[in-house]
């Protein structure tokens, strides 16, 4: 009930007013049945823009930190994310990837739309990074199509560190569904998972026109932070 209120009365109209989204390829998203929508991730606003424009409800896997904040603010944030159709996923530890896959498969078994960002985190510089193979594992295990999606302009509207997005027009572009039925029963083979993931990322790249980096976003972020730390070491006080 609150999801519909949020989408049609509160958040949806506000987002449409702020971003005046141009929607392309919406006909590629099926009206019913399970499917994965895999997109690039440029901004915090991405979490809410796609659910706001889709006719169907879509459930995203979101980092657990959004649900575990302290105090009243933390509880309100967690309630908001759950109401917006987000599922918390712990990204730490060896079991993190398997936990995300289990949660995603649960959504797909119910015949619903699952939203996922294969890069695993927001791009810190607007480029498209190497995808993690969880999206491929879910697509092959559930035997569902993958609809590539590109968010265009959200990085400029709300780059990292900017809490309030700027008012500017953005584009949300959906591509033709990718069918991986030819790999049925091969979800345990690493080479196949990598090939499927790369095909998904290439489809996103074709839609978005971003520069591609063949490294994981988290790795590049960590390398950049390490360089910054060496250049500007913290000075002891006291």
């Amino acid at each position: 009930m609150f999801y519909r209120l949020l989408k049609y009365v509160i958040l949806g109209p506000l987002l449409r007013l702020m971003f005046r989204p141009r929607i392309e390829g919406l006909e590629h998203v099926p009206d019913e049945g399970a499917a994965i929508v895999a997109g690039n991730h440029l901004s915090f606003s991405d979490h809410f823009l796609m659910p706001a424009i889709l006719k169907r409800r879509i459930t995203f896997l979101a980092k657990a930190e959004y649900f575990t904040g302290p105090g009243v603010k933390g509880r309100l944030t967690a309630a908001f994310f759950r109401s917006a159709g987000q599922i918390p996923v712990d990204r730490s530890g060896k079991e993190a990837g398997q936990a995300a896959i289990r949660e995603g498969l649960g959504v797909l078994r119910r015949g619903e739309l699952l939203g996922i960002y294969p890069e695993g985190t927001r791009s810190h510089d607007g480029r498209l990074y190497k995808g993690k193979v969880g999206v491929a594992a879910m697509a092959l295990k559930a035997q569902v199509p993958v609809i590539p999606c590109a968010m265009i302009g959200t990085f400029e509207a709300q780059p990292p560190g900017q809490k309030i997005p700027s008012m500017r027009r953005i584009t949300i572009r959906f591509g033709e569904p990718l069918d991986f039925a030819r790999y049925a029963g091969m979800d345990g083979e690493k080479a196949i998972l990598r090939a499927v993931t790369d095909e998904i990322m290439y489809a996103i790249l074709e839609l978005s026109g971003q520069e591609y980096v063949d490294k994981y976003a988290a790795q590049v972020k960590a390398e950049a932070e390490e360089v910054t730390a060496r250049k500007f070491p913290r000075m002891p006080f006291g």
Side-chain angles (χ1 to χ4, degrees), residues 130-187:
K130 186 176 181 178
K132 296 187 176 183
V133 300
V135 61
M138 285 184 280
L140 298 189
K141 283 179 181 291
Q143 297 183 40
V144 298
V146 177
I147 296 96
C149 174
M151 309 294 289
I152 301 169
T154 57
F155 182 83
E156 292 75 14
Q158 192 180 17
Q162 181 174 319
K163 293 186 177 181
I164 306 298
S166 305
M167 294 184 66
R168 60 171 293 147
R169 191 163 199 188
I170 61 97
T171 298
I172 304 176
R173 184 176 293 151
F174 297 94
E176 294 184 6
L178 303 174
D179 181 4
F180 298 107
R182 63 191 183 278
Y183 297 124
M186 303 172 73
D187 54 272

Coordinates of all heavy atoms in Angstrom, one line a residue, residues 130-187:
K130 N 33.6 -2.9 -14.7 CA 33.5 -4.4 -14.9 C 32.3 -4.9 -14.0 O 32.2 -4.5 -12.8 CB 34.8 -5.1 -14.5 CG 34.8 -6.6 -14.7 CD 36.2 -7.1 -14.4 CE 36.4 -8.6 -14.7 NZ 37.8 -9.0 -14.4
G131 N 31.5 -5.8 -14.5 CA 30.4 -6.3 -13.8 C 30.7 -7.5 -13.0 O 31.6 -8.4 -13.4
K132 N 30.1 -7.7 -11.8 CA 30.2 -8.9 -11.0 C 29.3 -10.0 -11.5 O 28.2 -9.7 -12.1 CB 30.0 -8.6 -9.5 CG 31.0 -7.6 -9.0 CD 30.8 -7.4 -7.5 CE 31.9 -6.5 -6.9 NZ 31.8 -6.4 -5.4
V133 N 29.7 -11.2 -11.3 CA 29.0 -12.3 -12.0 C 27.7 -12.8 -11.3 O 27.0 -13.7 -11.8 CB 29.9 -13.6 -12.2 CG1 31.1 -13.2 -13.0 CG2 30.3 -14.1 -10.8
G134 N 27.3 -12.1 -10.3 CA 26.1 -12.5 -9.6 C 24.9 -12.4 -10.5 O 23.9 -13.2 -10.4
V135 N 24.8 -11.4 -11.3 CA 23.7 -11.2 -12.2 C 23.6 -12.3 -13.2 O 22.5 -12.8 -13.5 CB 23.8 -9.8 -13.0 CG1 25.1 -9.8 -13.9 CG2 22.6 -9.6 -13.9
A136 N 24.7 -12.8 -13.7 CA 24.7 -14.0 -14.6 C 24.2 -15.2 -13.9 O 23.4 -16.0 -14.4 CB 26.1 -14.2 -15.2
A137 N 24.7 -15.4 -12.6 CA 24.3 -16.6 -11.9 C 22.8 -16.6 -11.7 O 22.1 -17.7 -11.8 CB 25.0 -16.6 -10.5
M138 N 22.2 -15.5 -11.3 CA 20.8 -15.4 -11.1 C 20.0 -15.7 -12.4 O 19.0 -16.4 -12.5 CB 20.4 -14.1 -10.5 CG 20.7 -14.0 -9.0 SD 20.2 -12.5 -8.2 CE 21.4 -11.4 -8.7
A139 N 20.5 -15.1 -13.5 CA 19.8 -15.2 -14.8 C 19.8 -16.7 -15.3 O 18.8 -17.2 -15.8 CB 20.5 -14.3 -15.9
L140 N 20.9 -17.4 -15.1 CA 21.0 -18.7 -15.5 C 20.2 -19.7 -14.6 O 19.6 -20.6 -15.0 CB 22.4 -19.2 -15.6 CG 23.3 -18.4 -16.6 CD1 24.7 -19.1 -16.8 CD2 22.6 -18.3 -18.0
K141 N 20.3 -19.5 -13.3 CA 19.6 -20.3 -12.3 C 18.1 -20.2 -12.5 O 17.4 -21.2 -12.4 CB 20.0 -20.0 -10.9 CG 21.4 -20.5 -10.5 CD 21.7 -20.1 -9.0 CE 23.1 -20.6 -8.6 NZ 23.1 -22.0 -8.4
A142 N 17.6 -19.0 -12.6 CA 16.2 -18.7 -12.7 C 15.7 -18.9 -14.1 O 14.5 -18.9 -14.4 CB 15.8 -17.3 -12.2
Q143 N 16.6 -18.9 -15.1 CA 16.2 -19.0 -16.5 C 15.3 -17.9 -16.9 O 14.2 -18.1 -17.4 CB 15.6 -20.4 -16.8 CG 16.6 -21.5 -16.6 CD 16.0 -22.9 -17.0 OE1 15.4 -23.0 -18.0 NE2 16.3 -23.9 -16.2
V144 N 15.7 -16.6 -16.7 CA 14.9 -15.4 -17.0 C 15.7 -14.5 -17.9 O 17.0 -14.5 -17.9 CB 14.5 -14.7 -15.7 CG1 13.7 -15.6 -14.8 CG2 15.7 -14.2 -14.9
P145 N 15.0 -13.7 -18.6 CA 15.7 -12.7 -19.5 C 16.3 -11.6 -18.7 O 15.9 -11.3 -17.6 CB 14.6 -12.2 -20.4 CG 13.4 -12.3 -19.6 CD 13.6 -13.6 -18.8
V146 N 17.3 -10.9 -19.2 CA 18.0 -9.7 -18.6 C 17.7 -8.5 -19.5 O 18.1 -8.6 -20.7 CB 19.5 -10.0 -18.4 CG1 20.1 -8.7 -17.8 CG2 19.7 -11.2 -17.5
I147 N 17.1 -7.5 -19.0 CA 16.9 -6.3 -19.7 C 17.9 -5.3 -19.4 O 18.0 -4.8 -18.2 CB 15.5 -5.7 -19.5 CG1 14.4 -6.6 -19.9 CG2 15.3 -4.4 -20.2 CD1 13.8 -7.5 -18.9
P148 N 18.8 -4.9 -20.3 CA 19.9 -3.9 -20.0 C 19.2 -2.5 -19.9 O 18.3 -2.2 -20.6 CB 20.8 -4.0 -21.1 CG 20.0 -4.5 -22.3 CD 19.0 -5.4 -21.7
C149 N 19.8 -1.7 -19.0 CA 19.2 -0.4 -18.8 C 20.3 0.6 -18.6 O 21.3 0.3 -17.9 CB 18.3 -0.4 -17.6 SG 17.7 1.3 -17.1
A150 N 20.2 1.8 -19.1 CA 21.2 2.9 -18.9 C 20.5 4.1 -18.3 O 19.6 4.6 -18.9 CB 21.8 3.2 -20.3
M151 N 21.1 4.6 -17.2 CA 20.7 5.9 -16.7 C 21.7 6.9 -17.3 O 22.9 6.7 -17.2 CB 20.8 5.8 -15.1 CG 20.1 4.6 -14.5 SD 18.4 4.7 -14.7 CE 17.9 6.0 -13.6
I152 N 21.2 7.9 -17.8 CA 22.0 8.9 -18.5 C 21.7 10.3 -17.9 O 20.5 10.8 -18.0 CB 21.8 8.9 -20.0 CG1 22.1 7.6 -20.6 CG2 22.6 10.0 -20.7 CD1 21.6 7.4 -22.0
G153 N 22.7 11.0 -17.4 CA 22.5 12.3 -16.8 C 22.4 12.3 -15.3 O 22.4 13.4 -14.7
T154 N 22.2 11.2 -14.6 CA 22.0 11.2 -13.2 C 23.3 11.5 -12.5 O 23.3 12.0 -11.3 CB 21.4 9.8 -12.7 OG1 22.3 8.8 -13.1 CG2 20.0 9.6 -13.2
F155 N 24.5 11.2 -13.1 CA 25.8 11.5 -12.5 C 25.9 13.0 -12.4 O 26.4 13.5 -11.3 CB 26.9 10.9 -13.3 CG 28.3 11.1 -12.7 CD1 28.7 10.3 -11.7 CD2 29.1 12.2 -13.1 CE1 30.0 10.5 -11.1 CE2 30.3 12.4 -12.5 CZ 30.8 11.6 -11.5
E156 N 25.6 13.7 -13.4 CA 25.7 15.2 -13.4 C 24.6 15.8 -12.5 O 24.9 16.8 -11.9 CB 25.5 15.7 -14.8 CG 26.6 15.3 -15.8 CD 26.5 13.9 -16.3 OE1 25.5 13.2 -16.1 OE2 27.6 13.4 -16.9
A157 N 23.5 15.1 -12.4 CA 22.4 15.7 -11.5 C 22.8 15.5 -10.0 O 22.4 16.3 -9.2 CB 21.1 15.0 -11.8
Q158 N 23.4 14.4 -9.7 CA 23.8 14.1 -8.3 C 25.1 13.3 -8.2 O 25.1 12.1 -7.9 CB 22.6 13.4 -7.6 CG 22.8 13.3 -6.1 CD 21.7 12.6 -5.4 OE1 21.0 11.8 -6.0 NE2 21.6 12.8 -4.1
P159 N 26.2 14.0 -8.4 CA 27.5 13.3 -8.3 C 27.8 12.9 -6.9 O 27.1 13.3 -5.9 CB 28.5 14.4 -8.8 CG 27.8 15.7 -8.5 CD 26.3 15.4 -8.7
P160 N 28.8 12.0 -6.7 CA 29.1 11.6 -5.3 C 29.3 12.7 -4.4 O 30.0 13.7 -4.7 CB 30.4 10.8 -5.5 CG 30.3 10.3 -6.9 CD 29.6 11.4 -7.7
G161 N 28.8 12.7 -3.2 CA 28.9 13.7 -2.2 C 27.9 14.8 -2.2 O 27.8 15.6 -1.3
Q162 N 27.1 14.9 -3.3 CA 26.0 15.9 -3.4 C 24.7 15.3 -2.8 O 24.2 14.3 -3.4 CB 25.8 16.3 -4.8 CG 24.7 17.4 -5.0 CD 24.7 17.9 -6.4 OE1 25.7 18.2 -7.0 NE2 23.5 18.1 -6.9
K163 N 24.2 15.8 -1.7 CA 23.1 15.2 -1.1 C 21.8 15.5 -1.8 O 20.9 14.7 -1.9 CB 23.0 15.6 0.4 CG 24.1 15.1 1.2 CD 24.0 15.5 2.7 CE 25.1 14.8 3.5 NZ 24.9 15.2 5.0
I164 N 21.6 16.7 -2.3 CA 20.4 17.2 -2.9 C 20.7 17.2 -4.4 O 21.5 18.0 -4.9 CB 19.9 18.6 -2.4 CG1 19.8 18.6 -0.9 CG2 18.6 18.9 -3.1 CD1 18.8 17.6 -0.4
P165 N 19.9 16.4 -5.2 CA 20.2 16.5 -6.7 C 19.8 17.8 -7.3 O 18.9 18.5 -6.9 CB 19.3 15.3 -7.2 CG 18.2 15.1 -6.2 CD 18.9 15.5 -4.9
S166 N 20.5 18.1 -8.4 CA 20.1 19.3 -9.2 C 19.0 19.0 -10.1 O 18.8 17.8 -10.6 CB 21.4 19.7 -10.0 OG 22.5 19.9 -9.2
M167 N 18.2 20.0 -10.5 CA 17.1 19.8 -11.4 C 17.7 19.8 -12.8 O 18.2 20.9 -13.3 CB 16.1 20.9 -11.2 CG 15.4 20.8 -9.9 SD 14.0 22.1 -9.7 CE 12.9 21.5 -10.9
R168 N 17.6 18.7 -13.5 CA 18.0 18.6 -14.9 C 17.4 17.4 -15.5 O 17.0 16.5 -14.9 CB 19.5 18.5 -15.0 CG 20.2 17.4 -14.3 CD 21.6 17.2 -14.7 NE 21.8 16.9 -16.1 CZ 22.8 17.3 -16.8 NH1 23.7 18.1 -16.3 NH2 22.9 17.0 -18.1
R169 N 17.3 17.4 -16.8 CA 16.6 16.3 -17.5 C 17.5 15.1 -17.6 O 18.7 15.3 -18.0 CB 16.1 16.8 -18.9 CG 15.2 15.7 -19.5 CD 14.4 16.3 -20.7 NE 13.3 15.4 -21.0 CZ 12.5 15.6 -22.0 NH1 12.7 16.6 -22.9 NH2 11.5 14.8 -22.2
I170 N 17.0 14.0 -17.4 CA 17.8 12.7 -17.5 C 17.1 11.8 -18.5 O 15.9 12.0 -18.8 CB 18.0 12.1 -16.1 CG1 16.7 11.7 -15.5 CG2 18.8 13.0 -15.2 CD1 16.2 10.3 -15.7
T171 N 17.8 10.8 -18.9 CA 17.2 9.8 -19.8 C 17.4 8.4 -19.2 O 18.4 8.1 -18.6 CB 18.0 9.8 -21.2 OG1 17.8 11.1 -21.8 CG2 17.5 8.7 -22.1
I172 N 16.3 7.6 -19.3 CA 16.4 6.2 -18.9 C 16.1 5.3 -20.1 O 15.0 5.4 -20.7 CB 15.4 5.9 -17.8 CG1 15.6 6.8 -16.6 CG2 15.5 4.4 -17.3 CD1 14.6 6.7 -15.5
R173 N 17.1 4.5 -20.5 CA 17.0 3.8 -21.8 C 17.1 2.3 -21.5 O 18.0 1.8 -20.9 CB 18.2 4.3 -22.7 CG 18.2 3.7 -24.1 CD 19.3 4.3 -24.9 NE 19.1 5.7 -25.1 CZ 20.0 6.6 -25.3 NH1 21.3 6.3 -25.2 NH2 19.7 7.9 -25.5
F174 N 16.1 1.6 -22.0 CA 16.0 0.1 -21.9 C 16.4 -0.5 -23.2 O 15.9 -0.1 -24.3 CB 14.6 -0.3 -21.4 CG 14.2 0.2 -20.1 CD1 13.5 1.3 -20.0 CD2 14.6 -0.5 -18.9 CE1 13.1 1.8 -18.7 CE2 14.2 0.0 -17.7 CZ 13.5 1.1 -17.6
G175 N 17.1 -1.6 -23.2 CA 17.5 -2.3 -24.4 C 16.7 -3.6 -24.5 O 15.9 -4.0 -23.7
E176 N 16.9 -4.3 -25.6 CA 16.1 -5.5 -25.9 C 16.6 -6.6 -24.9 O 17.7 -6.7 -24.5 CB 16.4 -6.0 -27.3 CG 15.9 -5.1 -28.4 CD 16.1 -5.7 -29.8 OE1 16.5 -6.8 -29.9 OE2 15.7 -5.0 -30.8
P177 N 15.6 -7.4 -24.4 CA 16.0 -8.5 -23.5 C 17.0 -9.4 -24.0 O 17.0 -9.8 -25.2 CB 14.6 -9.2 -23.3 CG 13.6 -8.2 -23.7 CD 14.2 -7.4 -24.8
L178 N 17.9 -9.8 -23.1 CA 19.0 -10.7 -23.5 C 18.6 -12.1 -23.0 O 18.2 -12.3 -21.8 CB 20.3 -10.3 -22.8 CG 20.8 -8.9 -23.1 CD1 22.0 -8.6 -22.3 CD2 21.1 -8.8 -24.6
D179 N 18.6 -13.1 -23.9 CA 18.2 -14.5 -23.6 C 19.4 -15.3 -23.5 O 20.2 -15.4 -24.4 CB 17.3 -15.0 -24.7 CG 16.8 -16.4 -24.5 OD1 17.1 -16.9 -23.4 OD2 16.1 -16.9 -25.3
F180 N 19.6 -16.0 -22.3 CA 20.7 -16.8 -22.1 C 20.3 -18.3 -22.0 O 21.0 -19.1 -21.3 CB 21.5 -16.4 -20.9 CG 22.1 -15.0 -21.0 CD1 21.5 -13.9 -20.3 CD2 23.1 -14.7 -21.9 CE1 22.0 -12.6 -20.4 CE2 23.6 -13.4 -22.0 CZ 23.0 -12.4 -21.3
A181 N 19.2 -18.7 -22.6 CA 18.7 -20.1 -22.5 C 19.8 -21.1 -23.0 O 19.8 -22.2 -22.6 CB 17.4 -20.2 -23.3
R182 N 20.7 -20.6 -23.9 CA 21.7 -21.5 -24.5 C 22.7 -22.0 -23.4 O 23.4 -22.9 -23.6 CB 22.4 -20.8 -25.6 CG 23.2 -19.6 -25.2 CD 23.7 -18.8 -26.4 NE 24.5 -17.6 -26.2 CZ 24.0 -16.4 -25.8 NH1 22.7 -16.3 -25.7 NH2 24.8 -15.4 -25.6
Y183 N 22.7 -21.3 -22.3 CA 23.6 -21.7 -21.2 C 22.9 -22.4 -20.1 O 23.4 -22.5 -18.9 CB 24.3 -20.4 -20.7 CG 25.2 -19.7 -21.7 CD1 25.0 -18.4 -22.0 CD2 26.2 -20.4 -22.3 CE1 25.8 -17.7 -22.9 CE2 27.0 -19.7 -23.2 CZ 26.8 -18.4 -23.5 OH 27.6 -17.7 -24.4
A184 N 21.7 -22.9 -20.3 CA 20.9 -23.5 -19.2 C 21.7 -24.7 -18.6 O 22.4 -25.5 -19.3 CB 19.6 -24.1 -19.8
G185 N 21.7 -24.7 -17.3 CA 22.5 -25.7 -16.5 C 24.0 -25.5 -16.4 O 24.7 -26.4 -15.9
M186 N 24.4 -24.4 -16.9 CA 25.9 -24.1 -16.8 C 26.2 -23.0 -15.8 O 27.3 -22.3 -15.9 CB 26.4 -23.7 -18.2 CG 26.1 -24.8 -19.3 SD 26.4 -24.3 -21.0 CE 28.2 -24.3 -21.0
D187 N 25.3 -22.7 -14.9 CA 25.5 -21.6 -13.9 C 26.7 -21.9 -13.0 O 27.1 -21.0 -12.2 CB 24.3 -21.3 -13.2 CG 23.7 -22.6 -12.5 OD1 22.9 -23.3 -13.1 OD2 24.1 -22.8 -11.3

